Amino acid sequence: MIRNLRRAVRRAYRRTVDLSHPARSPLGSAVVNCVVYRDGVRQPGDCPVDEAVRRVRRAKEGFVWVGLHEPSAEEFAGIAALFELHPLAVEDAVRAHQRPQVQPYDDVLFAVFKTVGYVEHEELTATSEVVETGELMVFAGPDFVVTVRHGKHGSLGPLREALEDTPEQLAKGPAAVLHAIADHVVDDYLVVIDAMQDDIDAVETAVFSDTSGRGDAGRIYQLKRELLEFKRAVTPLHRPLNDLATRPLPPVDADMQPYFRDVADHLTRVTEQIGSIDALLDSILQAHLAQVTVAQNEDMRKITAWAAIVAVPTMVCGIYGMNFDNMPELHWRYGYPISLAVMTLACYAIYRGFRRNGWL
């Protein structure tokens, strides 16, 4: 019941797709959004990207935020030429599958973040997908921000709306948008790690319950694989965030560096939780394997005990089945029932002994 309640809360928390900004650019259908901001306030009216840039540079104040989703090389070529983006950064943004990084190119900062989403499932199995990853690239210049998103999750629509509700923060320019994106990504890490904890609690309960099956090893290994994928997305982000918090990088000034230090602290918390969960999964796996070994030993003890019980009548029958003429009590009238009684009593005595010692 508690697990279902947590799942409902996560679904309510899950950010929706950005449908509030319907602007489209003639430069390509991959352009999801193009908005001009001045003094932290969204300027009215929708316009193509090139017109938005002309408005900002003509007024010499404000900046334009362009959002794209999985653009092709042809769709991104116009954007790259308009903002004079470095070809290496453009190539990385289109191809995706990059490690988290921060690279300055003259007065433009190129940042790559790995986004992570939790995959809801009714029951964890040995093949369940637990986390799904994507990528979020950010080009931050003096008067523009270009975001390129890869993957099904990580929509920036709610983030944009939250920033528009705090114009004093948005007035700090592209650096504020870059900080908000980094904070948004790391906050999602915390949501995913909390959701994975529910799966780990379920596996731990199953392993230490009296009715746990021997198939739990597959679920534990699956969780470890998914945790490893999560770790690959989180761990490399430490250095880029430290660079943003300590190094003078355009367009991040000294006033914005404390904000990035705060995000770096949150990322450290996520990393520590991943390490703790990894160690806990190792302990659960070792406990499960120990339980399997104990169960196998119990089975072997039972098999051995029954084999010892069956050995008594087998021995007696084997001796009297050798068909020798001179054998004791061979022609005795009561030999057969007495031999059966002796075998039964002997088997019962051995059975009682094994029961008393916990073998049966």
Side-chain angles (χ1 to χ4, degrees):
M1 179 177 178
I2 295 178
R3 179 178 173 82
N4 293 335
L5 180 60
R6 290 178 177 175
R7 184 182 297 116
V9 171
R10 285 197 299 270
R11 287 173 178 170
Y13 171 81
R14 184 181 300 162
R15 298 173 175 88
T16 57
V17 178
D18 182 13
L19 299 177
S20 59
H21 307 295
R24 289 293 185 272
S25 168
L27 292 175
S29 60
V31 178
V32 178
N33 216 302
C34 177
V35 180
V36 174
Y37 294 95
R38 189 173 299 161
D39 295 327
V41 179
R42 176 190 175 101
Q43 299 302 296
D46 299 325
C47 59
V49 178
D50 51 355
E51 176 61 27
V53 173
R54 279 195 294 269
R55 287 173 55 186
V56 169
R57 292 178 177 174
R58 189 185 307 119
K60 295 183 179 181
E61 61 177 342
F63 67 95
V64 57
W65 182 355
V66 181
L68 300 96
H69 180 250
E70 297 183 354
S72 64
E74 294 76 14
E75 290 173 326
F76 198 48
I79 300 289
L82 182 63
F83 293 106
E84 299 180 353
L85 304 178
H86 197 279
L88 292 177
V90 171
E91 182 181 0
D92 290 343
V94 173
R95 289 186 177 181
H97 304 294
Q98 305 297 318
R99 284 171 59 88
Q101 58 179 292
V102 169
Q103 293 290 343
Y105 294 97
D106 296 329
D107 60 346
V108 178
L109 189 67
F110 175 61
V112 178
F113 302 96
K114 283 282 190 180
T115 59
V116 178
Y118 180 76
V119 181
E120 295 286 354
H121 45 268
E122 294 299 328
E123 183 180 359
L124 179 68
T125 66
T127 58
S128 295
E129 184 182 9
V130 179
V131 297
E132 58 181 359
T133 60
E135 292 182 48
L136 186 57
M137 287 82 164
V138 182
F139 294 89
D143 54 6
F144 68 88
V145 175
V146 178
T147 56
V148 182
R149 184 167 60 89
H150 292 268
K152 297 181 294 184
H153 62 281
S155 173
L156 296 178
L159 171 66
R160 185 190 293 265
E161 294 170 357
L163 272 174
E164 290 174 356
D165 290 337
T166 56
E168 64 280 358
Q169 182 71 8
L170 194 56
K172 297 177 181 178
V177 177
L178 181 61
H179 161 261
I181 291 174
D183 191 49
H184 164 85
V185 170
V186 175
D187 283 347
D188 279 351
Y189 292 165
L190 292 169
V191 174
V192 172
I193 203 70
D194 289 341
M196 290 186 70
Q197 188 64 54
D198 293 341
D199 291 323
I200 294 168
D201 292 342
V203 169
E204 185 178 18
T205 301
V207 167
F208 290 101
S209 65
D210 295 335
T211 59
S212 61
R214 298 186 183 181
D216 288 326
R219 299 199 296 167
I220 300 172
Y221 275 119
Q222 179 64 13
L223 272 177
K224 285 186 69 67
R225 283 193 295 266
E226 295 294 303
L227 185 66
L228 178 60
E229 183 178 1
F230 188 18
K231 186 176 181 179
R232 288 172 179 168
V234 172
T235 304
L237 188 56
H238 277 283
R239 184 172 179 178
L241 283 180
N242 287 333
D243 289 343
L244 289 170
T246 57
R247 290 176 54 191
L249 296 172
V252 180
D253 54 24
D255 292 338
M256 288 300 301
Q257 287 181 343
Y259 292 93
F260 287 103
R261 281 197 293 270
D262 180 66
V263 178
D265 290 340
H266 293 171
L267 184 66
T268 300
R269 174 189 165 191
V270 175
T271 305
E272 291 174 351
Q273 285 185 278
I274 291 176
S276 300
I277 289 177
D278 194 22
L280 178 59
L281 284 175
D282 287 337
S283 300
I284 293 174
L285 181 60
Q286 292 299 323
H288 173 70
L289 295 177
Q291 286 184 334
V292 171
T293 302
V294 170
Q296 290 175 342
N297 289 338
E298 289 287 340
D299 294 341
M300 290 303 299
R301 288 169 64 179
K302 291 179 180 180
I303 293 172
T304 303
W306 284 112
I309 294 172
V310 174
V312 173
T314 302
M315 181 185 65
V316 174
C317 294
I319 292 174
Y320 279 90
M322 290 187 290
N323 297 323
F324 290 110
D325 288 335
N326 297 318
M327 294 183 69
E329 315 300 343
L330 190 61
H331 300 287
W332 189 28
R333 170 185 286 184
Y334 302 106
Y336 180 71
I338 290 178
S339 64
L340 290 178
V342 170
M343 286 189 290
T344 302
L345 290 174
C347 291
Y348 179 74
I350 297 173
Y351 173 80
R352 290 289 297 173
F354 282 128
R355 287 277 294 180
R356 189 163 48 246
N357 292 322
W359 282 49
L360 290 174

